[in-house]
Amino acid sequence: QVQLVESGGGLVQPGGSLRLSCAASGSIFSIDSMGWYRQAPGKQRELVASIISGGSTNYADSVKGRFTISRDNAENTVYLQMISLQPEDTAVYYCNAHIRRSDGAALRYWGQGTQVTVSS
C-alpha cells in the first residue's frame, strides 16, 4: 500500500515564503514523477510543478521564477519552495506521484492536500 503525506502549508503574508513537503511511503519500486497541483474554490485543479526521476522540471507560467520543485530520491520526498507568494496563490495544494509498486502495478496517487493561504 502506498500513501502520500503533505506538510508545510499555512498562512503567510503577501511576499512571504513557504516550503511544502510530500513524502511517499509503502511498497514502492520506483517513482516515475512527482508533482504539485493546486485548487482554489470554484476553480479547476491545475498543475503547478512537476519533476521526473531524471530531474527535469516543469512549471505553470503563473509560478515560474517564484516556485522551485525538487526531489530527495533516497527519501521518496518532493518539495515545493514557494517565494514571493501572492493572494492568487491561495489554494489547497495536492501532491501527486506516478508510482510503480513492488507488485508491478503502476498507479497515480494523490495526497490529502495542504492549505496555503496568502493574506494580509
Side-chain angles (χ1 to χ4, degrees):
Q1 196 167 4
V2 174
Q3 63 180 23
L4 306 179
V5 179
E6 303 105 327
S7 63
L11 175 64
V12 65
Q13 293 184 340
S17 301
L18 285 173
R19 189 191 191 207
L20 306 183
S21 300
C22 173
S25 62
S27 300
I28 298 170
F29 179 79
S30 65
I31 300 178
D32 294 330
S33 65
M34 301 185 80
W36 290 94
Y37 289 71
R38 67 185 181 186
Q39 187 168 24
K43 296 185 178 180
Q44 293 279 93
R45 186 174 297 187
E46 63 175 346
L47 176 67
V48 176
S50 63
I51 185 167
I52 63 173
S53 60
S56 296
T57 58
N58 189 42
Y59 297 92
D61 288 342
S62 60
V63 307
K64 286 180 179 177
R66 299 189 298 119
F67 292 9
T68 302
I69 189 170
S70 61
R71 288 178 64 169
D72 183 340
N73 292 327
E75 299 295 330
N76 291 329
T77 301
V78 64
Y79 305 94
L80 186 68
Q81 181 67 54
M82 306 183 292
I83 65 171
S84 301
L85 284 162
Q86 300 300 315
E88 299 81 63
D89 298 314
T90 296
V92 177
Y93 285 69
Y94 297 91
C95 180
N96 172 260
H98 289 85
I99 295 175
R100 181 169 296 181
R101 298 197 315 217
S102 298
D103 64 2
L107 299 171
R108 187 180 190 181
Y109 292 89
W110 292 92
Q112 294 298 309
T114 184
Q115 177 71 48
V116 172
T117 302
V118 185
S119 176
S120 298

